[in-house]
Each structure stands twice: as C-alpha cells, then as structure tokens.
Amino acid sequence: MKQEIKRHMERMVDDYIYIEDLNAYLKAFIADKEQERGSWSEITVVTHYMLGGQSAHIDRMAAVTECVMLALDIVDDLQDQDHDTKPWMQCPQPVALNAILALLMGAIGELGQLELNPRLLVEMSTMITRSVNGQQKDVTHFVSSVDDYLLMTQEKSGSLFRFACLMGYASLDCTAETIETLHDLADCLGLIHQIENDRKDLVRWDLKNDLLSKKRTLPALYLLSIEDDAFRLFQDYYAGSITVDDLLTQKEQLLHMIHTSGCIEYSQVVQSVCLQKAEALCEQLEAASPWKETFKEITFGSYLSEQFR
C-alpha cells in the first residue's frame, strides 16, 4: 500500500473518530492491513490509469477502497471466528463492530467530499450488497451444487474486484462495453482467488478451516458428489453421522484421502478455465499500456506463472 494512501486512511479516521481509543484501534488495523501482500488500492489506481485517468484525487479514492475492504475483512473474520492474530480479533468485539461502522461511514463521507455522481454511489452500494448476498449464502450453507458455488463466489468475491475497479473508473467517462468487460473480468478474478483459497484451506489444520465448518467449497463438492467408499469418512462428517472429534481422530487418513482423491486437481482445472477466460477478457479490454499489463500482473499474473511451471 502506498504511504500516501495510508495517510489518507488515517486522515479519514482523524476526520470522524475523536474518541482516542477507537481512533488508535483503527490506526492499528490500518497498519496491519498495510503489511498484506498486494493491495486493493493498487487495483483502483492501476484501473484508473489504464483507462486514461489522471485525477489528482485517485489516492483518496484508493483510500476509500482500502477502508471498505478493511471493514469487510473484519466482518468476515468475526463471522468465521478465525485469524486470531489480527488486531480486530484481539480487541473486544464491540470495539471491532464500532470500527466497521466507522470505516464505512468514513468512506461514505469521503466520497461525499469528492462530490461523486450519485449514480455511481448507487452502483457502489449495489456491488457491496451483491457481495453481502454472496456472503450470506456462504455463512448459511446455501451452496449445494457447483453452479451454486460459482454464482456465490462471483457474488461474494467477484463483487469486491468490481468495487476496486469501480473506484478507479468512477471519475471517468467509460463506455458500457468497457465496464461490462471489467465486471466479467472481476468475476473471473473472484473465482480464481477463491478457488485457490478453498484448495489450500482444505488441507490446512493449523487454523479453523472450511472442512471443519462443513463449507461446500469446490473441492468439497467434488468429494461429496462421488459415490466411493474411500470418501465415506468425509461424506459422513458432512451428513452429520460423525462428530468433528471422530473426524480429527482419523486426520491422517482424511488428509491422505484428500490428496489422492483428485479434488485438488479438479479445482485446478476449473481455476485454469477461469484463468483462460480472464486472459481473453483482458486482451479484449481497450486500455493503455503499460497499465493494462500491470493490471494483469497484480490480479492474476502469478497464477499464470504457476500454471506453466
């Protein structure tokens, strides 16, 4: 994250939060966010420049992107009760909830100061609530098929990429075709990243994972769909026939089954299809170099590199 963007985030905190402890908590959350690899604000900035933008306020727009994404990160961790090392998971929960409200209201106030077109505010709200709809499906175990999963992921994760892009082109006069291509590309990016997270999470036991929560991720759906006694342990757990303690006593057997089942390879094939579509959409996008190539690199370039190793 650029230091100028971080400074705008901290300035927004100072503009709206005068209670010292909450102000300090928010700045600690921002400092933690700064350490993450990659940044949503970078997508906003690069989108702006690749579509011909030259706004003096693009860093302020990017700061709004980061504030909204930080608020949504906190919500996600509170819902899943994971990432215990994050500062918002170590503070009292009522404080974390106030921080979410402060970040969202501060972002709205900043957009008001920038005098954005009200139509774009409606579009931003639509994107964020589309993500909330997807998140609701996720936490209520709505997903029961691969089609459900793909739609939920585009809503939950793809909408966040749409939002980061929108903050970059909000002040520009883009064609409807360009915006539609960006939206389709954003949904592909959401799928690429979410499939990667789900694939890794299935075999991770150091933190609360999706398997223990019985989430129907893409690899989990593969394991649930095949009638094979080798997958019975996994399927019995999802069906409620055995407890999590029963499952954990056979952890090594379960991990071996996951690694030899083909579910990881299946997920990689679906991810590969999404990568091919993302490449095609990126090629079709009318955008300036070298920003277009930078956008590709920061959003899905590393996955392409891994694919061709």
Side-chain angles (χ1 to χ4, degrees):
M1 184 193 302
K2 284 172 54 179
Q3 286 303 301
E4 184 63 21
I5 292 171
K6 181 186 178 185
R7 281 194 288 272
H8 278 301
M9 293 175 74
E10 292 178 333
R11 188 258 309 153
M12 288 162 62
V13 170
D14 289 336
D15 283 350
Y16 294 100
I17 302 301
Y18 52 82
I19 300 297
E20 288 185 10
D21 64 340
L22 183 56
N23 185 293
Y25 274 119
L26 284 161
K27 288 178 179 175
F29 299 172
I30 291 168
D32 183 89
K33 185 76 170 168
E34 182 189 15
Q35 303 307 311
E36 290 183 0
R37 181 184 171 191
S39 68
W40 291 102
S41 54
E42 191 174 9
I43 295 175
T44 293
V45 171
V46 172
T47 298
H48 183 74
Y49 290 131
M50 79 172 180
L51 296 180
Q54 308 228 343
S55 172
H57 299 306
I58 187 56
D59 284 347
R60 291 178 68 180
M61 296 292 285
V64 170
T65 300
E66 289 288 358
C67 283
V68 171
M69 296 303 187
L70 176 53
L72 296 177
D73 276 350
I74 298 171
V75 170
D76 189 64
D77 288 345
L78 288 173
Q79 288 176 339
D80 292 342
Q81 285 299 298
D82 58 6
H83 295 139
D84 293 341
T85 60
K86 291 294 184 183
W88 49 85
M89 297 302 292
Q90 295 179 340
C91 72
Q93 191 173 99
V95 172
L97 293 172
N98 278 336
I100 293 166
L101 293 173
L103 288 164
L104 293 176
M105 293 303 102
I108 291 172
E110 187 75 354
L111 292 173
Q113 290 182 26
L114 290 167
E115 298 182 344
L116 237 60
N117 186 320
R119 177 183 59 80
L120 289 165
L121 294 176
V122 173
E123 192 171 348
M124 290 172 190
S125 298
T126 300
M127 287 178 183
I128 294 170
T129 51
R130 180 178 185 247
S131 181
V132 171
N133 279 292
Q135 182 75 350
Q136 179 68 11
K137 289 180 180 180
D138 192 24
V139 300
T140 57
H141 303 295
F142 172 87
V143 170
S144 60
S145 68
V146 171
D147 285 344
D148 287 344
Y149 171 88
L150 295 175
L151 178 58
M152 179 273 292
T153 301
Q154 289 176 82
E155 291 169 342
K156 174 186 169 183
S157 302
S159 296
L160 302 185
F161 283 97
R162 286 190 182 196
F163 176 73
C165 292
L166 170 62
M167 297 304 289
Y169 69 73
S171 62
L172 307 178
D173 186 19
C174 296
T175 66
E177 182 182 7
T178 295
I179 293 172
E180 183 180 357
T181 301
L182 262 181
H183 286 183
D184 290 343
L185 178 54
D187 281 353
C188 278
L189 296 175
L191 283 166
I192 291 165
H193 287 261
Q194 190 63 55
I195 291 170
E196 184 73 6
N197 290 342
D198 292 344
R199 181 177 66 80
K200 290 179 176 178
D201 190 79
L202 192 64
V203 293
R204 187 183 66 191
W205 294 85
D206 56 324
L207 298 171
K208 184 173 183 281
N209 69 12
D210 290 342
L211 189 155
L212 300 182
S213 302
K214 297 184 180 179
K215 286 192 176 181
R216 283 175 164 77
T217 61
L218 191 63
L221 286 165
Y222 175 90
L223 293 170
L224 291 169
S225 68
I226 298 177
E227 293 186 11
D228 189 322
D229 286 341
F231 304 159
R232 187 63 58 206
L233 176 66
F234 184 90
Q235 293 171 354
D236 284 348
Y237 174 65
Y238 269 70
S241 303
I242 62 174
T243 67
V244 66
D245 291 334
D246 295 329
L247 187 73
L248 292 175
T249 60
Q250 302 182 67
K251 185 173 90 169
E252 294 305 320
Q253 176 187 339
L254 181 64
L255 283 173
H256 176 74
M257 180 274 293
I258 289 171
H259 282 296
T260 59
S261 67
C263 72
I264 302 300
E265 292 78 5
Y266 168 74
S267 299
Q268 288 172 324
V269 168
V270 176
Q271 187 185 51
S272 177
V273 172
C274 295
L275 281 165
Q276 291 172 28
K277 184 176 180 182
E279 273 205 289
L281 288 166
C282 207
E283 284 301 314
Q284 134 186 5
L285 194 63
E286 293 188 12
S289 293
W291 299 105
K292 180 176 177 178
E293 292 72 21
T294 302
F295 181 90
K296 178 177 176 180
E297 183 56 36
I298 65 175
T299 53
F300 66 99
S302 62
Y303 295 102
L304 288 172
S305 301
E306 289 175 12
Q307 191 178 34
F308 293 112
R309 274 179 191 171

